[in-house]
Amino acid sequence: MISVKEAIIVEGRYDKIKLKSIVDTPIIDTGGFRVFKDKEKQNLIRKIAKQRGILILTDSDSGGFVIRNFLRGVVPENEIKHAYIPQLKGKEKRKSDFSKEGFLGVEGVEEEIIINAIKNSGATVFNESTVVKSGEIKKTDLYELGLTGRENSAHLRHKLLKKLELPSYLTTNAMLSVLNCLYSLKELNELIESISK
């Protein structure tokens, strides 16, 4: 596993699942072409890009390049890095048919190919001795702050997401990932205090 500063943007949930076992960084999926109309997701990607930069890793087919080019119009170029996987013929194990263009997507290529693509992208790759995780927000922190598992948690989460201009549909796990992209535990505590008044 490698650790990367930039958040990685992928097309779909299966790409995200694949990357979670390879890369230690927040991974955001665009929901495919849904991102074109999803202003909340675009806003989220902009915020993360401004805070820590993003690394776009889409499939090497025409759809992947359309999404990649769309994101170039959403995020300033200096906040984006690009990782490319080669066009390899094949089909993903979970699918019964080849894709339209017959190439493997991110979910179907070998881990080593993905790691090399990330390293060749110019992304900030940390070695284990430089990774600093202090202040990371954990699920237990969300509970202690009242954002999960309490009577009023859903209301408090909604208020927090609205204040931060984050997508209202974020699951608890997705919210945790996004919060870790943008805030420290101390900053989250301060935000909760401000919206609880």
Side-chain angles (χ1 to χ4, degrees):
M1 182 172 275
I2 61 171
S3 185
V4 179
K5 175 191 171 209
E6 294 82 5
I8 298 180
I9 310 297
V10 295
E11 289 180 55
R13 64 183 171 137
Y14 291 104
D15 300 330
K16 185 175 180 176
I17 290 166
K18 172 85 175 211
L19 261 68
K20 278 188 173 282
S21 65
I22 302 171
V23 189
D24 178 23
T25 197
I27 301 161
I28 310 295
D29 76 86
T30 65
F33 295 141
R34 176 181 168 191
V35 73
F36 299 163
K37 293 182 178 178
D38 190 340
K39 299 296 182 198
E40 288 184 327
K41 181 72 66 122
Q42 292 172 29
N43 229 8
L44 171 63
I45 292 170
R46 265 191 220 97
K47 275 184 174 224
I48 292 171
K50 188 173 185 168
Q51 186 78 20
R52 65 188 297 155
I54 59 169
L55 174 63
I56 300 175
L57 179 61
T58 56
D59 296 350
S60 288
D61 59 10
S62 57
F65 280 94
V66 168
I67 292 169
R68 186 184 294 274
N69 287 330
F70 174 79
L71 292 174
R72 279 187 171 121
V74 171
V75 177
E77 193 62 36
N78 64 324
E79 295 170 358
I80 303 176
K81 291 180 179 166
H82 296 273
Y84 296 91
I85 58 168
Q87 287 187 330
L88 301 171
K89 290 282 186 188
K91 104 181 157 53
E92 277 82 22
K93 290 177 185 172
R94 70 177 178 86
K95 296 181 179 175
S96 56
D97 294 319
F98 284 82
S99 68
K100 186 177 174 184
E101 295 175 37
F103 300 123
L104 288 171
V106 170
E107 72 171 280
V109 299
E110 299 291 324
E111 289 184 12
E112 189 178 334
I113 291 172
I114 292 172
I115 290 170
N116 287 335
I118 291 169
K119 287 180 176 176
N120 292 333
S121 71
T124 309
V125 178
F126 300 110
N127 62 36
E128 292 306 310
S129 63
T130 60
V131 178
V132 178
K133 290 270 184 172
S134 63
E136 181 181 12
I137 304 162
K138 297 179 178 59
K139 272 192 172 178
T140 53
D141 298 317
L142 297 183
Y143 175 78
E144 288 171 13
L145 291 168
L147 291 167
T148 60
R150 307 277 177 93
E151 190 177 318
N152 210 19
S153 293
H155 178 68
L156 187 59
R157 265 195 322 274
H158 178 74
K159 279 177 73 173
L160 177 66
L161 292 171
K162 188 172 182 176
K163 179 177 178 68
L164 300 179
E165 297 177 335
L166 294 174
S168 57
Y169 55 77
L170 288 178
T171 64
T172 303
N173 285 338
M175 181 180 76
L176 182 62
S177 181
V178 169
L179 290 173
N180 272 312
C181 280
L182 301 170
Y183 303 98
S184 67
L185 179 56
K186 181 177 184 269
E187 291 168 327
L188 179 60
N189 272 300
E190 291 166 359
L191 284 163
I192 295 299
E193 280 179 29
S194 74
I195 62 172
S196 297
K197 290 178 181 174

